[in-house]
């Protein structure tokens, strides 16, 4: 069974296939010399394969029939020599083709990853992570089989069929007509096999997927299954899935069991026909025995490649479909691009949000409407409001993760759309609720903010937050691997690392999404102190989940249902009769009192 299949919607038409191939050919520049070499080797190998039967003919007609021992020796010697050349050329062509193919895939993986790293947030909102991952796995895999062996076999099969046909026609077109009799059956059977095996393989793939997801669910839910005594029920359901998978596999076996013997039979039939007709032509003296032997031996050079092609066809199609999807991904534009005439943001300035409206997608309702807000240099603004009100969205616009649908966000008078990406990232840093930790040490993780920072600078950043001692006290200090078993960092420590990154980046503006996870009182105090230190001297927009944070801010903005409904100092807003903040604050203090 060919290890590839292509679904109906992925099947490329001739135009799309042509486009994909031309594009792939354009990126083959660095491999051009090797490709020519591969082609040369391929042709040489095919000629070696074809030469065998001709040498046999020479041996029979000139050596055996004419009783010329010298001619026979020559034929046998040449046969062995050609076989040896074929042996080495075959090895060389496999290596060279793989070098080209694997090199192409390596470049492709790099290009796709590079592009993925540059694509902005809207792309990741649209695309499911699973789909993106499958670009790098199954789409690349579908080409992997192709570049390793498939492509070589595909091209060499076609070449072998064409060259054999031409040479046989030149040798004896009458006998070629005889060979051609079973060919329509072989071709029809091959087309049908290709179609059926593709379908069968798709079914197998689907059922493997279903079985695996059942397995995964069973394993993750094993406690619940056991708690409710559902072992037998689950086992029966699994057995049912497994049976459908077995049937799918058997179906593909039946297809092969039908096709392969048909081709064998056609080959045997063709041999019989050649001997039958060719033999008579020999008796009539219009053909030599050697020519009949040549035809018999050449039959495998026709039938084998046809059979291979029918199996490779799916592989080539699925490789083409994979390549097309990868190109589509590479063609995805960055949604938040750097303007061609971008300017660096000034060193300092106020953040101005003017008439901003925003929808995540054109088909979705806006989540922000008519927001006007100015945050002065060095000011600390807290955003509060119910869940889903739009606070994080507003913060993301200030960091230009997205561009507003209406209105503008500017820093120091420069619209963020016109700012260079570098200056934007230098001036404005975001500390998310849960900073992601990469594989590596604490030091590496802080350095994410600025790859070229020295050890001293990393330490200074931790010092600035007053947390260096805490990390240095770990058995391996700053060299502690954050993901290693047993030395995983606590939630509070992760937050500290995330803040240390921002301290190292040393931005003018800090956008901070306060963590909601509750920490033990000791760590909480350390984190709060670090936050205070980080905000010191910076313009800060903090999404406050604890109203104590809001109370400490210079001003508080209340976001509700996408609008900025109140804006003022904590005291001013508390004094507002019937105000939203006043109500939120009352509820919050009551909640605190209840849990105290
Ligand atoms: N990537 C996204 N794509 C589509 N809709 C989104 C996306 N992110 C958020 N939303 C929607 O936008 C609205 C505002 O979300 P946002 O995260 O800004 O609220 P929030 O006030 O920060 O809430 P929370 O306090 O729970 O974080 C919500 O209705 C949310 O479902």
């Amino acid at each position: 069974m060919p290890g590839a299949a292509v679904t109906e919607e992925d099947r490329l038409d001739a135009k799309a296939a042509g486009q994909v191939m031309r594009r792939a050919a354009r990126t083959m520049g660095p491999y051009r010399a090797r490709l020519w070499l591969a082609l040369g080797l391929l042709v040489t190998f095919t000629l070696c394969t074809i030469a065998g039967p001709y040498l046999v003919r020479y041996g029979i007609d000139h050596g055996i029939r004419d009783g010329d021992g010298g001619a026979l020796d020559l034929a046998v010697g040449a046969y062995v020599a050609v076989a040896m050349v074929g042996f080495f050329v075959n090895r060389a062509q496999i290596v060279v083709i793989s070098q080209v193919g694997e090199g192409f895939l390596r470049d492709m993986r790099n290009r796709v990853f590079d592009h993925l790293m540059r694509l902005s947030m809207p792309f990741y909102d649209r695309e499911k992570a699973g789909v993106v991952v499958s670009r790098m796995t199954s789409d690349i895999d579908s080409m992997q089989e192709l570049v390793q062996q498939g492509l070589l076999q595909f091209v060499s099969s076609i070449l072998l069929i064409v060259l054999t046909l031409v040479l046989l026609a030149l040798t004896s077109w009458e006998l070629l007509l005889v060979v051609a009799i079973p060919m329509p059956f072989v071709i029809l059977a091959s087309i049908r096999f290709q179609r059926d095996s593709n379908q069968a393989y798709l079914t197998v793939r689907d059922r493997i997927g279903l079985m695996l997801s059942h397995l995964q669910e069973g394993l993750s839910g094993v406690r619940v299954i056991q708690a409710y005594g559902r072992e037998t029920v689950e086992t029966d359901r699994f057995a049912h899935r497994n049976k459908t998978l077995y049937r799918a596999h058997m179906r593909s076996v039946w297809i092969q069991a039908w096709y392969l013997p048909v081709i064998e039979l056609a080959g045997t039939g063709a041999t019989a026909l050649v001997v039958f007709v060719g033999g008579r032509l020999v008796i009539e003296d219009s053909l030599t025995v050697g020519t009949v032997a040549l035809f018999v031996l050449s039959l495998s050079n026709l039938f084998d490649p046809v059979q291979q092609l029918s199996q490779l066809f799916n592989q080539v199609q699925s490789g083409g479909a994979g390549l097309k999807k990868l190109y589509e991904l590479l063609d995805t534009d960055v949604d938040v691009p750097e303007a061609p005439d971008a300017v660096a943001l000034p060193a300092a300035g106020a953040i101005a949000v003017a008439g901003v409206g925003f929808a995540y997608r054109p088909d979705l309702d806006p989540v922000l409407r008519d927001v006007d807000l100015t945050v002065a240099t060095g000011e600390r603004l807290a955003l509060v409001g119910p869940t889903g009100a739009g606070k994080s969205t507003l913060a993301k616009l200030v960091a230009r993760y997205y561009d507003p649908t209406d209105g503008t966000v500017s820093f120091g008078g420069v619209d963020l759309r016109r700012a260079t990406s570098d200056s934007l990232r230098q001036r404005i840093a975001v500390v998310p609720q849960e900073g992601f930790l990469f594989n590596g040490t604490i030091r590496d993780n802080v350095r994410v903010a600025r790859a070229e920072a020295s050890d001293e600078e990393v330490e200074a950043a931790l010092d600035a937050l007053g947390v260096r001692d805490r990390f240095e006290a770990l058995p391996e200090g700053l060299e502690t691997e954050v993901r290693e078993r047993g030395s995983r960092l606590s939630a509070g420590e992760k937050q500290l690392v995330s803040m240390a990154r921002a301290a190292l980046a040393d931005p003018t503006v800090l956008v901070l999404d306060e963590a909601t996870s509750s920490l033990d009182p000791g760590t909480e105090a350390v984190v709060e102190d670090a936050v205070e230190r980080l905000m010191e001297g910076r313009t800060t927009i903090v999404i406050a989940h604890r109203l104590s944070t809001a109370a400490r801010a210079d001003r508080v903005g209340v976001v509700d249902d996408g609008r900025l409904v109140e804006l003022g100092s904590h005291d001013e807003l508390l004094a507002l009769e019937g105000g939203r903040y006043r109500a939120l604050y009352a509820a919050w203090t009551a909640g605190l009192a209840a849990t105290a």
Side-chain angles (χ1 to χ4, degrees):
M1 179 59 62
V6 62
T7 55
E8 215 34 69
E9 73 251 37
D10 282 347
R11 206 177 282 279
L12 300 186
D13 56 24
K15 189 166 157 236
Q19 278 169 352
V20 166
M21 274 172 58
R22 274 196 297 280
R23 187 158 173 186
R26 277 202 298 277
T27 51
M28 287 303 225
Y31 304 105
R32 195 148 291 152
R34 261 175 213 282
L35 262 182
W36 283 114
L37 176 63
L39 196 65
L41 291 167
L42 193 78
V43 172
T44 313
F45 180 69
T46 310
L47 290 177
C48 288
T49 313
I50 289 174
Y54 280 87
L55 290 168
V56 170
R57 178 173 80 157
Y58 181 82
I60 292 176
D61 289 349
H62 297 280
I64 300 174
R65 195 190 59 189
D66 300 346
D68 179 352
L72 188 59
D73 291 348
L74 182 67
V76 174
Y79 192 91
V80 173
V82 165
M84 289 310 291
V85 172
F87 171 78
F88 288 110
V89 170
N90 194 14
R91 287 179 51 156
Q93 69 171 351
I94 291 174
V95 173
V96 175
I97 280 275
S98 298
Q99 277 173 340
V100 174
E102 294 292 344
F104 176 76
L105 287 191
R106 182 194 55 204
D107 297 349
M108 203 66 189
R109 276 191 220 102
N110 283 342
R111 283 177 60 199
V112 170
F113 188 76
D114 179 67
H115 194 67
L116 283 173
M117 291 296 102
R118 284 166 209 286
L119 284 172
S120 27
M121 289 306 140
F123 169 81
Y124 289 99
D125 291 341
R126 283 193 303 270
E127 299 286 337
K128 293 194 189 71
V131 175
V132 178
V133 170
S134 85
R135 287 294 93 86
M136 278 294 247
T137 52
S138 61
D139 290 335
I140 294 262
D141 279 350
S142 67
M143 283 188 284
Q144 190 84 43
E145 289 172 31
L146 195 63
V147 302
Q148 271 167 359
Q149 281 302 302
L151 207 54
L152 176 68
Q153 285 177 358
F154 194 75
V155 180
S156 73
S157 296
I158 293 176
L159 198 63
L160 191 56
I161 293 177
V162 173
L163 279 180
T164 306
L165 281 178
V166 170
L167 289 175
L168 289 186
L170 291 176
T171 310
S172 164
W173 62 267
E174 299 99 325
L175 218 46
L176 183 61
L177 283 182
V178 172
V179 172
I181 294 173
M183 264 298 162
F185 300 103
V186 170
I187 289 170
L188 282 178
S190 300
I191 291 173
R192 170 127 190 242
F193 170 76
Q194 182 268 318
R195 215 183 44 209
D196 289 356
S197 66
N198 186 46
Q199 196 51 50
Y201 188 77
L202 287 178
T203 315
V204 167
R205 203 175 64 178
D206 278 356
R207 294 192 181 166
I208 289 178
L210 284 176
M211 199 236 354
L212 285 182
S213 66
H214 196 125
L215 174 70
Q216 205 175 19
E217 200 182 81
L219 289 180
S220 33
V222 71
R223 284 190 190 81
V224 180
I225 291 170
Q226 290 181 354
Y228 291 96
R230 284 186 50 96
E231 294 92 332
T232 320
V233 181
E234 283 305 314
T235 307
D236 288 349
R237 279 183 54 210
F238 183 82
H240 175 71
R241 284 257 149 84
N242 203 10
K243 194 160 141 193
T244 60
L245 174 60
Y246 165 82
R247 288 214 186 106
H249 272 303
M250 279 318 287
R251 162 121 187 90
S252 75
V253 170
W254 271 109
I255 294 169
Q256 285 188 79
W258 160 87
Y259 173 72
L260 296 179
V262 163
I263 301 296
E264 283 292 318
L265 197 65
T268 321
T271 310
L273 277 172
V274 167
V275 176
F276 180 75
V277 179
R280 276 178 174 61
L281 291 174
V282 173
I283 293 170
E284 287 168 13
D285 235 4
S286 48
L287 215 62
T288 64
V289 178
T291 304
V292 177
L294 159 76
F295 265 80
V296 169
L297 291 174
S298 294
L299 283 179
S300 64
N301 290 343
L302 282 181
F303 284 81
D304 292 355
V306 168
Q307 184 188 325
Q308 273 194 348
L309 278 182
S310 68
Q311 304 201 353
L312 287 169
F313 198 68
N314 296 334
Q315 222 179 64
V316 171
Q317 286 211 325
S318 106
L323 196 54
K324 179 165 179 263
K325 285 191 210 151
L326 287 168
Y327 281 142
E328 276 167 5
L329 176 63
L330 286 176
D331 287 343
T332 313
D333 287 331
V334 175
D335 299 83
V336 187
E338 188 175 75
D341 56 347
V343 294
L345 288 174
I351 293 272
V353 176
V356 160
F358 180 74
Y360 276 98
R361 286 205 317 257
D363 55 320
L364 291 179
D365 286 339
V367 291
L368 287 179
R369 293 184 196 87
D370 302 325
V371 179
D372 286 296
L373 174 69
T374 305
V375 189
T377 310
E379 192 188 10
R380 204 179 284 186
L381 174 86
L383 291 176
V384 299
T387 278
K391 308 177 294 287
S392 310
T393 308
L394 183 55
K396 287 179 199 161
L397 293 182
V398 168
R400 203 189 174 209
Y401 282 5
Y402 301 84
D403 281 329
T405 321
D406 299 311
T408 56
V409 179
S410 54
F411 172 80
V414 179
D415 186 338
L416 296 188
R417 287 192 188 90
R418 288 200 49 235
T420 57
S421 310
D422 281 351
S423 69
L424 186 70
R425 297 292 156 234
Q426 266 165 21
R427 300 284 177 271
I428 306 175
V430 178
V431 180
Q433 269 194 24
E434 292 210 354
F436 182 82
L437 293 188
F438 295 89
N439 248 331
T441 62
I442 293 175
R443 197 187 287 283
D444 298 336
N445 266 285
V446 174
R447 204 175 264 136
V448 165
R450 200 146 57 76
E452 73 288 354
S454 65
D455 281 355
E456 291 71 36
E457 286 174 310
V458 171
E459 284 152 20
L462 290 164
D463 264 338
L465 301 183
V467 297
R468 179 169 159 197
D469 293 347
R470 189 187 173 96
F471 287 115
E472 285 188 339
L474 294 171
E476 287 167 64
L478 296 184
E479 306 311 322
T480 305
E481 291 283 337
V482 296
R483 293 249 185 119
E484 226 164 60
R485 255 190 127 71
S487 71
R488 282 178 184 225
L489 301 188
S490 70
E493 285 164 339
K494 281 186 196 162
Q495 288 172 21
L496 293 176
V497 170
S498 175
M499 280 189 270
R501 274 181 197 153
L504 181 63
D506 194 16
T508 317
V509 178
L510 193 68
V511 177
L512 202 141
D513 196 350
E514 192 177 39
T516 46
S517 54
S518 50
L519 307 170
D520 66 86
T523 316
E524 174 102 32
V526 176
V527 171
E528 268 193 18
D529 178 53
V531 171
E532 277 301 319
R533 289 169 182 241
L534 184 61
M535 294 195 289
E536 196 60 47
R538 299 195 162 96
T539 311
T540 307
I541 297 179
V542 53
I543 301 171
H545 299 289
R546 297 181 192 83
L547 292 197
S548 54
T549 310
R552 286 197 303 272
D554 297 321
R555 276 193 305 163
V556 178
V558 181
V559 183
D560 193 9
D561 196 18
R563 290 175 197 277
L564 188 64
V565 289
E566 282 173 25
L567 184 65
S569 71
H570 170 75
D571 294 332
E572 282 166 10
L573 296 189
L574 270 194
L576 269 184
E577 218 37 73
R580 291 297 316 256
Y581 185 70
R582 189 181 160 118
L584 280 172
Y585 198 75
W588 187 70
T589 38
L592 279 191
T595 51

